[in-house]
Amino acid sequence: IPILHRVSAMTKRPLSLYASPWTAPAWLKSNEDIRGKGTLKGQAGDKYHKTWANYFIKFLDEYAKHNVTFWAVTAQNEPLAALLTPPEFPTIVFTASQQRDFITCDLGPALARSSHRTQLIILDDQRIHLPLWAKVVLGNATAARYTAGVGVHWYLDGVVPAGRSLGVTHKLFPNHFLLYSEACSGFLALR
């Protein structure tokens, strides 16, 4: 928080921060561990999903107490990465339909009821999942209404051409932005 305040003081325009969760607390997950391939317990609309959605609001509330606001949050960082990563990786597995239902029943309404004007980003994973992920989530009118855009990572960009993933997604959902939300240098020699 002090670093964010220092950076804000040095800029001429406001920072556009976004947050992306890696995992829910162990007691909310099916495997009862912050690591591994667990999903949220239960199903969208139940106490587990509502509690996880409320964690987002509490997170935003606590930062707001320190005059730090977030332009956006993602529903989950790399929701399918847990299927490919080592078991010690902290994550929650979401399919596109699980993310759609969580947004529709829990996270979307929680953000809308809150005092925060924070936008919601879906996917936040490899663009190889597009356009299918967007079709499932944004194809639902309620989920689309709560969602501002699609976050993508670049690690598997060499596998699927941009036109077949980003281009098709943009044509299907031109009112939702596409944002590269994660990248690093030297990850794969394929690049």
Side-chain angles (χ1 to χ4, degrees), residues 25-185:
W27 65 273
L28 286 175
K29 290 180 60 186
S30 62
N31 66 342
E32 304 214 348
D33 193 332
I34 62 168
R35 300 161 299 174
K37 297 168 179 36
T39 61
L40 283 178
K41 288 180 180 176
Q43 59 190 16
D46 70 11
K47 65 181 180 179
Y48 300 106
H49 286 70
K50 292 207 178 306
T51 299
W52 182 228
N54 286 330
Y55 264 78
F56 283 75
I57 306 308
K58 294 291 186 186
F59 169 86
L60 295 170
D61 289 346
E62 290 304 312
Y63 272 89
K65 289 177 185 176
H66 298 280
N67 295 317
V68 176
T69 58
F70 286 82
W71 162 73
V73 293
T74 74
Q76 175 61 38
N77 178 61
E78 297 185 345
L80 293 177
L83 302 174
L84 306 170
T85 57
E88 59 276 354
F89 195 79
T91 191
I92 305 171
V93 176
F94 272 105
T95 64
S97 59
Q98 288 169 324
Q99 188 171 87
R100 174 200 63 214
D101 296 347
F102 174 56
I103 289 168
T104 301
C105 298
D106 307 294
L107 184 55
L111 282 169
R113 282 189 310 269
S114 79
S115 61
H116 307 285
R117 296 304 103 207
T118 305
Q119 297 186 66
L120 182 58
I121 298 172
I122 63 164
L123 185 59
D124 201 25
D125 208 333
Q126 310 309 315
R127 78 172 191 215
I128 196 169
H129 303 301
L130 294 175
L132 180 60
W133 195 280
K135 286 180 182 179
V136 171
V137 179
L138 300 177
N140 176 286
T142 303
R145 188 175 70 248
Y146 289 128
T147 302
V150 181
V152 291
H153 297 182
W154 81 330
Y155 307 111
L156 300 177
D157 278 6
V159 177
V160 176
R164 295 179 80 193
S165 56
L166 301 175
V168 171
T169 303
H170 175 67
K171 283 180 182 145
L172 290 169
F173 305 101
N175 296 325
H176 291 83
F177 63 77
L178 297 167
L179 172 73
Y180 266 94
S181 54
E182 183 179 318
C184 71
S185 178

Side-chain angles (χ1 to χ4, degrees), residues 4 7-8 11 13-17 69 71:
L4 290 173
V7 171
S8 290
T11 64
R13 59 183 186 175
L15 296 177
S16 294
L17 301 174
T69 58
W71 162 73

